[in-house]
Structure formats: structure tokens, C-alpha cells
Amino acid sequence: MAAAAANLAGRPGVRVVVIGDPGTGKSSLVVAVATEQFPENVPKVMPHTRLPADYFPDRVPITIVDTSSSPEQKPKLIAECQAADAVVLTYACDRLSTLDRLSSYWLPELRRIQAPVIVVGCKLDLRDDQQNSLEQTMAPIMQAFREIETCIECSALRQIQVPEVFYYAQKAVLHPTAPLFDQEAQSLKPRCVRALKRIFILCDHDRDGALSDVELNDFQVRCFSAPLQPTEISGVKRVVQEKMPEGVNDSGLTLTGFLFLHALFIEKGRLETTWTVLRKFGYDNEIKLRDEFIPTSVKRAPDQTVELTNEVIDYLKGIFNMFDIDNDEALLPSELDDLFSTAPENPWTSDLYKDSAERNVLGGLSLEGFLSKWALMTLLDPANSFANLVYVGYSGDFNSAFTITRKRRVDRKKQQTQRNVFQCYVFGPKGSGKTALLQSFLGRQPSDALPTNSDRFAANTVEPSDGTRKTLVLREIPEGDVRSLLNNKESLAPCDAAVFVYDSCDEFSWQRARDLLVQVASHGENTGYEVPCLIVAAKDDLDQSPVALQESTRVSQDMGIETPIPISVKLKDLNNIFCRIVHAAQRPHLSIPETEAGKTRRQYRQLLNRSLMVVSVGAAIGVVGVAAYRVYAARRNSSS
């Protein structure tokens, strides 16, 4: 059982560093475990010592690194600890001053390393019988320093518990306590509970909320390659029922009982049991699915995006209906938390996704809002989207879940696109109405608008005039972030359309919007990632600036794009702006602004092409002339 866990841990070996005050028995401990005897002459510092793979049941070799405690060796000591998988910290049982040094010096220093620590009392044979027990001595220290995995006393001279020191060190690496169990609360950690809940659901084949005897036996065979006898199954259920009656019902072992069993294993020090289960189902030491189960990157060109397939959309619709407990056609926050309760965490609690979709007055997420959030997560982070699909029960592979769109450059050449999700960058000066535009897209009032100090997303479905349904993602770009955005050559590659919002009452607001438009258009011309652009004249319900109106109309005509679109979020007069954005994105060859520099380059290319054509025609005429002369000369020579 433990060997399977070690193999699944995927570690080629464990590196254990032994540290402590001078004279505490570090080198003697290393010699004793390697030779199983206590030599008279022990070197001050032992060379690296290797315990072979078959030394312990986990079958993972251990490299033991002895260290010097002298001040001049401190940089080397720190480096060794930083490279360690686990640290064995020694004190001498016959010198209480070395015990005091654990809390006053060594453990605070080790806190920076973040490696599991095994505290070892060496020279047990010299221990005063009047001293407190190990439990009494170490309890307050372990309370203060949670990184301590185990405390043990040993004697290298008498060969007492020497191998156990390194067994516990290896175990702390292969089967760590910290990710699974909260020592202070004496309970399983939330991420561990979530993983075990997912495993329980995967093993509950008939979906009756309990593991029957057959399902429990299948689980045992899958994880430990050994069946359970009927008497053993009865014994397991009896133990659970005695301690937690709700852990067993007429159908079998419930989720509550399943979690109780794992908490019991951990409390009894059998962490390898829970780790074996987790690793058999693909989890790593952070209790996330390993990379071979979840692709960490998706190969695509910068102007290609990732979208959900119809297969996975249908699956998500089924999941939505399953967790809509009250059948109100919306998922309340509690229902969403339940849906993601088998994932390491709810991915939509981050600021990036939290306010990105439309909600009802009770905070419920409609089906369209639910699918829009999935589309947004897939657009921004396909690997994370796929991981969460797997966590909530999707069993298909990456290719059945997602499709990679055609390059947008190809779309421009073909003058059409097959995309169903469009991303629109929303530019504009501060106070122009960008955030209010995003809020209106989600059915919110301008008064609900949030501070514009970071990127913000709004995703919703749009029905263009052709009767299809598309997902539009609006990404608000704060004015102060535009320069850093455009420093990246490929920053416009994922953008299907860009909107430039200005306050139609404010001439200065228009000037800033115009400057942003020129910057973005120039960046597109220089990088080849041109995008269709629209100008939006916001706050149309207020007194307009004649200069802003005239100038914006002139600039739009000069740059070859549509005249500014007036909107009033306050009056809910949006002039069909979201459909117009989708329409522009669907025709990627149109509405692309052209700067003066761009016009000059285009005219130069046209002139160059015409010149090459003239040269080509002239060369052709010259070739024909030479050929005609040769025919004439040949005829004249033959006639003479």
C-alpha cells in the first residue's frame, strides 16, 4: 500500500539535512543509520550518505546530508537547508540547553525554509529519568512551531529508534500532514475535504449518496490492489456507526462516514492511507490534479482563442439544472459553492470573475450568466477552465471540451469569422463612462459602478441581427494601463474589436480618447494585429460639446471608421451598441482605423507595386524585342 503511494508521489529520492548544536550527536546518528553500529571514532562531519530504495517500504532512496554548526559554515548550512526536502533537527537529551536552543534559535531560522522538521533527541541512553516525558517537553514547542511533523528520541550508541528518525523524515515528505489536516482545529483541511468528496462521488456509481459494499470494495481494489472481505467491510461500517451514526445508512457508507474514516486514519498517524487514495485519483502534494491530468498550456497563435464545444456546453447546462435546487432558473451563491465543492476552491470568487456576469436581485446567476462565466474563464485561462470542468465531473478530454479558433489574420483575409466568443477592449479617459458601459451590459445601474483602477471584465450573450447567439466579453482598460499594455507586441492579438469611450460633454475627454485611438491604431499597424474600432460618445443625455462632436466626426471619417455612436446609460438608450460591437467583430476586415503614418505606408506600397509593374512590363517588352530581332536577323541571313 505504501509503495504504491511512493511511486505515485513521483519522487526520485528524498534529501534529508541533519542540523543542530555542536555535540548533539548529528554525525553519530548518520553513521548509526548507515552502518547499524556505533564506531568509536566519528568524523566531525559525515560525507553525504545514501540509504537505498529498499531500506524503507516506500522504496524511495534517501540522501542524508550532515552539517557543521560552526559560524563560518553558516552560509553552507543555509544553502543545504534550502535544498532539503526535510530537516532533522537534533538536541542532546542530556543537555537541556540544546533543547532550549530549538525555540530560541533553530526553529525561528527554519521557518524561512518551509520544509517539514523532525525534532530528534539524541543520546537517549544518557537521559535523566527525572526529566519530563517527551510529550510534556515537546507539546508547547510543537504548538508554537506547526512545521514540526514528529518528535522522537533515539540512541545511536544503543541503536534505539535510529532508523525510525529517517523513516519519519521520509514520511513527512511523501505523506505530509500539513496539506491534509489542521492540527489546531483537529479536522481535515477544506481542500482535502473537497478532493475526498470528488473521489467519493466518482466511486458512487449509482449516485445514491452512499458507497455500497460492492462500491466500497471496488474503491479498495482501485486504491490498494486488494479486495476487502465481507467481515472487513462490516467492521469498517461498525466503527463508523459507533463514532458517527450518520456515517452509515441502509445504502452503505455516506460521505460523512467516508470523511470520518480519513480523519481517523490521519489522527492515528496513517497518513499514507489517505495519500494513497489521493494519488490514485491524480492529486499532487498541493491536492490539485497533476499536470498529466490537466494540460498546463495550450499551443495556439497569439490571435487564436479557445472556446467551449457544444458537447461541453450541453454538459454545463445539465450541471446547472442539477444544482438549481429550488428550480428558480438561477444559481444562488450557496448553490454555486456546492457546485464547486469538489474543486480546490470556487474559481469565481476572485476579483477577475466575481462581478463579470449578470445576476438577479437575489444574487442568482442565470444559465446565460453561468455559461458566460465559463466562456470568459476559457478565453482567459483554458487550462484552469478545463481543470474546473474535471473537478465538477466532466469526463471528456481537452479536445472534446474546447475548440481553438482560426487565426484572426486568416479571418481578415477571408472577410468572415467562425468565432462564437468575441473579446472587446474598452478604452477611454477616466470619467468617460467606461465602467458604466460595462455595468449596463450586465443590467446594472451606473451607481453600481466599481472603481476603475484595474482591468475589469463583463461577459454576456448578444443576439446579432442574423439570429445567432454570441458571447461578448468586454475588457475595460484603465487609461493609466494603456502604455504598459501596448508595450507588448501581441497585446492586441486576442482583441476582436476595440471601443473608445469619451464624455460627449467634455472636449478634453474627446482629445484623450482620440489620442488613445491613434495609439492603438498605430500599434495595430506596426504589429499586424489591427482591430475593428468604434467610437462611443457617452452621456448623450447631457449638454453636448459642439467641438467634441465636430472633431470626433471628422476624425472617424479621416480614419475610415463609423461615426461616433451616441449612448446614454442613464436613460438606458444604448443605441444597440453591443450588437454593433459584435457586428464589427464578425467583419474583421472592416472598421479598421488608418493613421496618417499608415496611409503614407499604404500609398508608398501602392506606388512601389506600380513601379514594379512598370519595370516588369518594360522587361517583358525588352525580351520580346530581342526575340523579334533574332527572328528578323535569322530570316535575313537565310535569304542572303
Side-chain angles (χ1 to χ4, degrees):
M1 179 175 67
N7 292 336
L8 285 169
R11 300 190 67 93
V14 171
R15 187 179 183 88
V16 178
V17 175
V18 183
I19 65 173
D21 279 351
T24 54
K26 300 187 297 296
S27 300
S28 298
L29 178 63
V30 176
V31 171
V33 74
T35 64
E36 298 185 2
Q37 57 185 349
F38 186 80
E40 293 183 5
N41 298 315
V42 179
K44 287 186 177 181
V45 178
M46 284 287 293
H48 289 193
T49 302
R50 183 178 172 87
L51 302 183
D54 59 0
Y55 198 94
F56 294 122
D58 285 305
R59 301 196 63 80
V60 176
I62 298 176
T63 299
I64 304 174
V65 180
D66 193 12
T67 60
S68 169
S69 305
S70 61
E72 60 270 16
Q73 293 293 318
K74 186 172 181 180
K76 184 177 180 181
L77 174 66
I78 293 172
E80 291 291 4
C81 288
Q82 288 173 336
D85 295 314
V87 174
V88 166
L89 174 59
T90 63
Y91 69 93
C93 290
D94 62 334
R95 288 164 53 202
L96 292 180
S97 60
T98 62
L99 178 63
D100 294 338
R101 284 262 297 169
L102 299 183
S103 300
S104 64
Y105 176 74
W106 287 106
L107 288 167
E109 287 286 321
L110 285 173
R111 185 155 277 175
R112 306 172 192 171
I113 307 300
Q114 294 184 335
V117 178
I118 311 299
V119 173
V120 180
C122 297
K123 307 183 183 182
L124 177 60
D125 52 294
L126 300 178
R127 192 177 194 277
D128 186 349
D129 292 339
Q130 302 302 314
Q131 291 179 16
N132 291 332
S133 68
L134 178 64
E135 291 77 11
Q136 292 174 316
T137 302
M138 294 307 304
I141 299 176
M142 292 187 73
Q143 186 74 21
F145 298 94
R146 293 293 181 182
E147 54 269 40
I148 299 175
E149 286 277 337
T150 306
C151 298
I152 185 173
E153 292 178 331
C154 69
S155 169
L157 177 65
R158 305 293 184 197
Q159 288 289 309
I160 300 172
Q161 294 199 130
V162 171
E164 285 84 348
V165 169
F166 296 97
Y167 169 75
Y168 284 123
Q170 185 191 68
K171 185 177 177 181
V173 178
L174 300 181
H175 317 299
T177 303
L180 303 184
F181 199 72
D182 186 329
Q183 300 273 22
E184 201 162 321
Q186 286 295 294
S187 62
L188 296 174
K189 285 192 172 179
R191 189 174 283 188
C192 178
V193 170
R194 288 167 171 265
L196 291 173
K197 180 179 179 180
R198 175 175 172 267
I199 292 168
F200 178 89
I201 292 171
L202 291 175
C203 295
D204 180 18
H205 302 300
D206 56 11
R207 298 292 186 265
D208 65 348
L211 297 183
S212 65
D213 290 0
V214 172
E215 289 169 336
L216 199 56
N217 190 60
D218 290 344
F219 164 80
Q220 175 74 13
V221 171
R222 175 171 178 175
C223 293
F224 304 105
S225 304
L228 284 170
Q229 299 302 315
T231 53
E232 292 175 312
I233 293 176
S234 299
V236 167
K237 292 194 291 187
R238 185 171 57 253
V239 168
V240 173
Q241 200 160 28
E242 287 174 358
K243 300 289 186 179
M244 189 168 286
E246 65 271 29
V248 177
N249 62 22
D250 292 340
S251 300
L253 186 72
T254 66
L255 174 61
T256 302
F258 187 71
L259 295 175
F260 169 78
L261 272 179
H262 283 281
L264 189 63
F265 291 145
I266 293 169
E267 287 174 8
K268 291 183 177 296
R270 292 174 54 191
L271 288 95
E272 64 273 14
T273 302
T274 300
W275 275 118
T276 299
V277 171
L278 290 169
R279 286 171 179 146
K280 278 291 184 180
F281 281 86
Y283 287 89
D284 60 17
N285 274 17
E286 294 180 357
I287 317 190
K288 290 185 175 181
L289 289 174
R290 296 193 301 272
D291 290 349
E292 60 259 40
F293 292 88
I294 308 294
T296 54
S297 62
V298 182
K299 290 184 179 180
R300 64 186 190 277
D303 57 348
Q304 288 180 293
T305 55
V306 182
E307 296 182 3
L308 300 169
T309 60
N310 289 332
E311 176 187 320
V312 86
I313 289 173
D314 289 340
Y315 175 80
L316 289 172
K317 287 178 180 177
I319 286 287
F320 180 93
N321 293 328
M322 182 189 305
F323 284 88
D324 181 18
I325 305 299
D326 52 9
N327 295 315
D328 64 347
E329 298 183 349
L331 292 184
L332 294 170
S334 59
E335 292 171 328
L336 266 179
D337 286 340
D338 192 25
L339 187 153
F340 285 114
S341 64
T342 51
E345 52 267 323
N346 182 339
W348 294 346
T349 56
S350 71
D351 291 340
L352 192 63
Y353 300 108
K354 189 162 52 178
D355 295 304
S356 63
E358 188 171 1
R359 291 182 175 273
N360 63 23
V361 291
L362 298 176
L365 196 63
S366 68
L367 176 60
E368 290 196 349
F370 180 71
L371 294 176
S372 293
K373 280 204 175 190
W374 278 104
L376 173 62
M377 186 160 61
T378 303
L379 181 75
L380 300 180
D381 192 351
N384 186 38
S385 181
F386 183 67
N388 280 284
L389 281 171
V390 173
Y391 287 130
V392 300
Y394 181 69
S395 58
D397 60 17
F398 189 90
N399 293 328
S400 65
F402 300 136
T403 181
I404 298 177
T405 64
R406 193 167 63 190
K407 294 180 182 179
R408 197 154 48 78
R409 292 184 181 186
V410 176
D411 285 347
R412 277 208 307 274
K413 290 179 182 178
K414 293 183 177 291
Q415 300 186 3
Q416 62 177 352
T417 183
Q418 300 167 328
R419 299 187 181 197
N420 294 305
V421 180
F422 297 106
Q423 181 171 195
C424 172
Y425 288 4
V426 181
F427 296 93
K430 187 175 182 180
S432 61
K434 301 189 302 297
T435 306
L437 179 65
L438 266 71
Q439 295 293 77
S440 67
F441 188 42
L442 303 180
R444 299 173 187 157
Q445 296 299 315
S447 57
D448 300 331
L450 301 168
T452 56
N453 55 358
S454 62
D455 285 359
R456 197 174 312 287
F457 292 87
N460 212 336
T461 55
V462 174
E463 295 185 26
S465 55
D466 60 5
T468 59
R469 296 174 74 86
K470 305 294 182 183
T471 299
L472 175 61
V473 173
L474 300 181
R475 176 188 176 187
E476 181 182 348
I477 311 292
E479 184 181 8
D481 293 353
V482 173
R483 177 175 293 182
S484 60
L485 176 78
L486 298 183
N487 280 337
N488 179 359
K489 178 183 176 182
E490 298 171 348
S491 58
L492 294 180
C495 177
D496 297 291
V499 166
F500 296 83
V501 183
Y502 75 95
D503 181 348
S504 58
C505 311
D506 185 350
E507 180 183 345
F508 178 74
S509 180
W510 156 245
Q511 292 171 358
R512 289 294 304 125
R514 177 200 60 204
D515 293 344
L516 292 172
L517 172 60
V518 172
Q519 289 177 47
V520 171
S522 299
H523 186 79
E525 290 172 343
N526 293 333
T527 61
Y529 295 117
E530 299 99 327
V531 296
C533 294
L534 298 174
I535 301 173
V536 172
K539 307 181 185 180
D540 191 46
D541 52 292
L542 303 177
D543 292 336
Q544 307 300 294
S545 164
V547 175
L549 177 61
Q550 293 170 7
E551 282 294 305
S552 61
T553 303
R554 181 187 61 79
V555 168
S556 64
Q557 291 172 346
D558 288 347
M559 299 186 81
I561 61 177
E562 187 178 348
T563 55
I565 304 167
I567 68 167
S568 170
V569 172
K570 184 176 181 180
L571 299 178
K572 298 184 180 179
D573 181 8
L574 298 176
N575 210 347
N576 209 24
I577 182 62
F578 305 119
C579 283
R580 293 169 85 157
I581 293 172
V582 170
H583 187 59
Q586 286 179 309
R587 301 186 301 169
H589 60 297
L590 301 177
S591 304
I592 296 177
E594 191 173 33
T595 65
E596 289 301 321
K599 288 179 184 177
T600 301
R601 279 196 295 268
R602 176 170 55 81
Q603 291 167 357
Y604 175 75
R605 283 196 301 269
Q606 290 174 345
L607 179 63
L608 183 62
N609 288 338
R610 282 198 295 269
S611 299
L612 290 173
M613 188 179 297
V614 170
V615 170
S616 299
V617 171
I621 292 172
V623 170
V624 171
V626 170
Y629 173 77
R630 286 176 177 168
V631 171
Y632 167 75
R635 285 177 179 172
R636 190 180 63 180
N637 290 336
S638 61
S639 62
S640 62

